[in-house]
Amino acid sequence: MIQPTISYLTDVYFGFGVSEVVPDLLAAYGIRRPLLVTDPGLSDLGIAKRVCLHDAPVYSGVKTNPSEPQVLDALEVYRTGRCDGLVAVGGGSSIDLAKCAGILVGHEGPLESYALRRGGTERITRRIPPIVAVPTTAGSGSEVGRAALVTLGSGDKVAILSRYLTPAAAVCDPELTLTMPPALSAGTGMDAISHCVETFCSTRYNPVADAIALDGLQRGCRHIETVFGDGRNRKARKGMMMCALQGGLAFQKSLGAVHSLSHPLGSLDSSLHHGTLNGLFLPAVLRFNADHCADRLDAMARRLRLKKGSDMPEYFEALNRQLGIPESLSDLGVTREVLEPLAAKAAADHCSPTNPRPLDEAACRMLYLSVL
């Protein structure tokens, strides 16, 4: 059997064409009847054939920012199909939804009881079927992460966190990203880059994650403009998939204000792309945090061949313009009235405690309005 390219937190199979190993992995994990979790677009493109799962039951109702009703629908397909494992193929939404469905396979509901802010981590046990994650967007890093984000029936977007949610294997095949359109390449790429920036600036101590994040940042910034302009460039696609993977591997340090601001907006309107929002917020957050992590900004600037850390916000503003990332929330149709109740949710987000500068409701409101 093929050996993993990397074994760090979980086994990672990386490289062009590596998606062919999925059937071998299922056999190794004793999965005879997997549920394929994916989105409608990939399903229509015949993704089951691409990952060699011709006869598996399929749940293809995943949408951007997965919701509790979708999780329950996937769970029903899992039970009806008498499945014994999950293969998540797609972006972070598909992978996160598979993780949430996996929780409810072996645990009593409701899903809210497993949310991080409800003390749910301790309630999650190893009674989760094995999950094989096959990312197709090179952005979220969820294929190696121990967290899942889901919007509950109440409308709240919550994080569910447990080491048992880390997929048994991540199959990272850049071949699956070659046909991504430019706007999606930009949004998912900025998602990956923002992960590297925020984990590096996080207040937690983890030098291993720091090293991975710095390398991922440099790699992502080197290749993102290329994949935006030439999606068939294999070297650049490989670089962006590794950047996304590294952002996920560095998640052990948690994130910060960029994600705290993005999460409530994503739960409010599923059409708002998470990575695009992250790219939009990144310059403003770097300015907000600058005096509290100056050494970190300097280290990142050196990797990007900038003169000083204070150049970082302008660097990302210029990069956003090159990638067509909107310059304001207004460009995305977000109004001041919509933002007003979100500041409290952003301050209470699970990413806020590890932001280098203390983040309260007033600060979140100010950050929202600064990019309106």
Side-chain angles (χ1 to χ4, degrees):
M1 180 177 172
I2 186 172
Q3 295 299 307
T5 312
I6 301 168
S7 187
Y8 173 83
L9 304 182
T10 191
D11 290 341
V12 177
Y13 300 82
F14 191 98
F16 283 96
V18 77
S19 54
E20 295 178 357
V21 308
V22 169
D24 290 339
L25 290 174
L26 298 181
Y29 299 132
I31 301 173
R32 297 183 179 182
R33 184 78 168 162
L35 173 66
L36 173 60
V37 177
T38 192
D39 61 63
L42 287 173
S43 180
D44 291 344
L45 291 171
I47 195 64
K49 183 178 180 181
R50 294 287 301 275
V51 296
C52 307
L53 294 180
H54 306 277
D55 301 318
V58 179
Y59 174 75
S60 59
V62 180
K63 299 178 182 178
T64 302
N65 299 306
S67 66
E68 186 173 15
Q70 294 171 42
V71 173
L72 296 176
D73 288 345
L75 179 65
E76 180 63 25
V77 178
Y78 184 97
R79 289 173 171 165
T80 301
R82 297 183 179 181
C83 299
D84 56 0
L86 296 133
V87 178
V89 183
S93 295
S94 294
I95 298 170
D96 283 4
L97 191 145
K99 291 177 180 179
C100 292
I103 291 172
L104 296 183
V105 167
H107 301 74
E108 293 292 329
L111 195 58
E112 182 179 9
S113 64
Y114 303 102
L116 177 63
R117 68 187 189 195
R118 300 281 192 272
T121 297
E122 295 180 359
R123 300 187 186 101
I124 301 173
T125 70
R126 64 177 68 250
R127 295 194 308 273
I128 295 174
I131 301 169
V132 174
V134 187
T136 63
T137 60
S140 76
S142 187
E143 65 270 15
V144 289
R146 53 183 175 156
L149 295 177
V150 63
T151 301
L152 299 174
S154 64
D156 289 337
K157 189 168 187 176
V158 299
I160 300 176
L161 181 70
S162 170
R163 61 192 177 98
Y164 298 119
L165 290 181
T166 306
V171 179
C172 302
D173 186 346
E175 189 83 37
L176 301 178
T177 69
L178 293 178
T179 58
M180 283 172 58
L184 186 58
S185 297
T188 57
M190 287 308 299
D191 192 19
I193 288 171
S194 71
H195 294 158
C196 294
V197 171
E198 290 221 286
T199 53
F200 187 67
C201 294
S202 162
T203 56
R204 287 183 182 162
Y205 178 75
N206 191 328
V208 176
D210 286 343
I212 294 171
L214 266 185
D215 187 78
L217 170 65
Q218 184 178 26
R219 194 180 302 270
C221 291
R222 182 190 309 140
H223 293 297
I224 190 168
E225 290 183 77
T226 302
V227 298
F228 178 72
D230 177 14
R232 306 294 300 189
N233 187 301
R234 295 169 71 84
K235 179 179 179 181
R237 285 297 190 192
K238 183 178 180 180
M240 287 310 301
M241 180 151 275
M242 181 55 74
C243 169
L245 174 65
Q246 289 175 294
L249 292 173
F251 276 166
Q252 307 304 306
K253 282 192 70 186
S254 189
L255 296 161
V258 168
H259 286 75
S260 299
L261 298 169
S262 293
H263 290 153
L265 273 169
S267 65
L268 183 73
D269 185 346
S270 62
S271 69
L272 295 173
H273 186 266
H274 173 70
T276 301
L277 290 172
N278 286 347
L280 192 160
F281 287 128
L282 186 55
V285 169
L286 288 175
R287 289 192 178 96
F288 175 78
N289 287 335
D291 292 340
H292 294 256
C293 58
D295 58 333
R296 296 277 156 166
L297 293 183
D298 288 340
M300 290 188 290
R302 288 192 294 270
R303 283 297 185 106
L304 299 180
R305 298 184 179 180
L306 303 177
K307 290 183 179 180
K308 53 189 183 299
S310 58
D311 293 335
M312 291 283 289
E314 289 77 15
Y315 169 83
F316 282 115
E317 284 174 340
L319 181 58
N320 283 343
R321 286 193 293 272
Q322 288 294 112
L323 299 174
I325 299 289
E327 296 184 7
S328 70
L329 291 173
S330 298
D331 291 340
L332 293 170
V334 178
T335 65
R336 185 177 184 130
E337 291 73 25
V338 166
L339 288 175
E340 183 58 35
L342 300 186
K345 292 185 177 182
D349 189 83
H350 63 282
C351 294
S352 294
T354 47
N355 191 66
R357 180 174 174 178
L359 198 62
D360 58 15
E361 183 177 345
C364 291
R365 183 176 295 106
M366 180 273 294
L367 285 166
Y368 274 140
L369 295 179
S370 73
V371 295
L372 184 57

